[in-house]
Amino acid sequence: MRNIMKSLRLTLVFCVFFSVFYIFILWLFAQVAGPNSGNAEVLTLNGKVVGAANVGQVFTEVVHFWGRPSVGGYTADASGGSNKGPANEGYLAEVEARIDSFLVHHPYLDREDVPAEMVTASASGLDPDITPACAYVQVKRVADARGMSEEAVRNIVDRMIEKPFLGILGTARVNVLKLNIALEESDR
């Protein structure tokens, strides 16, 4: 009995110690190695907070660039994928509906030109970035809706492309919220 109690106490001490220690190590790592010292990069427009750069948001107006679809509706408590495979009939119907909707707003594209990432949800459902190719296929729509030249909108996209870390880690990407803020600021 004495050995059991000793083992229970030791287990409890290890659980508490490693739980606190592990969280502290992760926090310390984020402070040192994480972007923005482990804190969200809060973005503002006209002095008002409009969102965090590392969390995707829904944009549906034609004057804005759109991000990837979110199965969870861009809410953190519903973060996650749909777990539907590429042979799931319901999933395929959702993708087809998204393609049709995308083509309604981008009639200058052919069906095969619709980027897959614009009609499939990301694994987290909160992806803040799209590829430059996804931004470029939206340039004409955004330019027409804003009464701007395609060249002016394309130049904004070009400025907002984030290159891979050290030129090799990751892929080129465009943060949709930052891109839309840059677009709004260009209208001033």
Side-chain angles (χ1 to χ4, degrees), residues 95-178:
V95 170
E96 285 298 319
R98 289 177 184 152
I99 291 171
D100 292 340
S101 177
F102 197 80
L103 287 172
V104 165
H105 293 89
H106 303 85
Y108 49 90
L109 293 177
D110 291 325
R111 193 168 198 76
E112 60 271 5
D113 296 330
V114 176
E117 73 182 278
M118 294 306 296
V119 295
T120 56
S122 67
S124 70
L126 302 172
D127 193 353
D129 302 318
I130 57 176
T131 62
C134 284
Y136 288 131
V137 299
Q138 298 180 66
V139 165
K140 180 171 176 34
R141 171 186 50 84
V142 172
D144 290 347
R146 288 184 170 267
M148 296 173 68
S149 72
E150 288 183 44
E151 182 183 356
V153 175
R154 186 177 307 277
N155 287 338
I156 294 170
V157 171
D158 290 342
R159 283 197 329 261
M160 300 308 298
I161 294 174
E162 298 174 28
K163 304 289 185 198
F165 182 68
L166 299 176
I168 56 171
L169 299 175
T171 59
R173 65 193 182 283
V174 179
N175 184 285
V176 179
L177 179 57
K178 288 180 181 179

Side-chain angles (χ1 to χ4, degrees), residues 20-32 34 38:
V20 172
F21 184 71
Y22 178 72
I23 291 169
F24 176 73
I25 292 297
L26 288 179
W27 175 83
L28 188 62
F29 181 76
Q31 296 300 306
V32 174

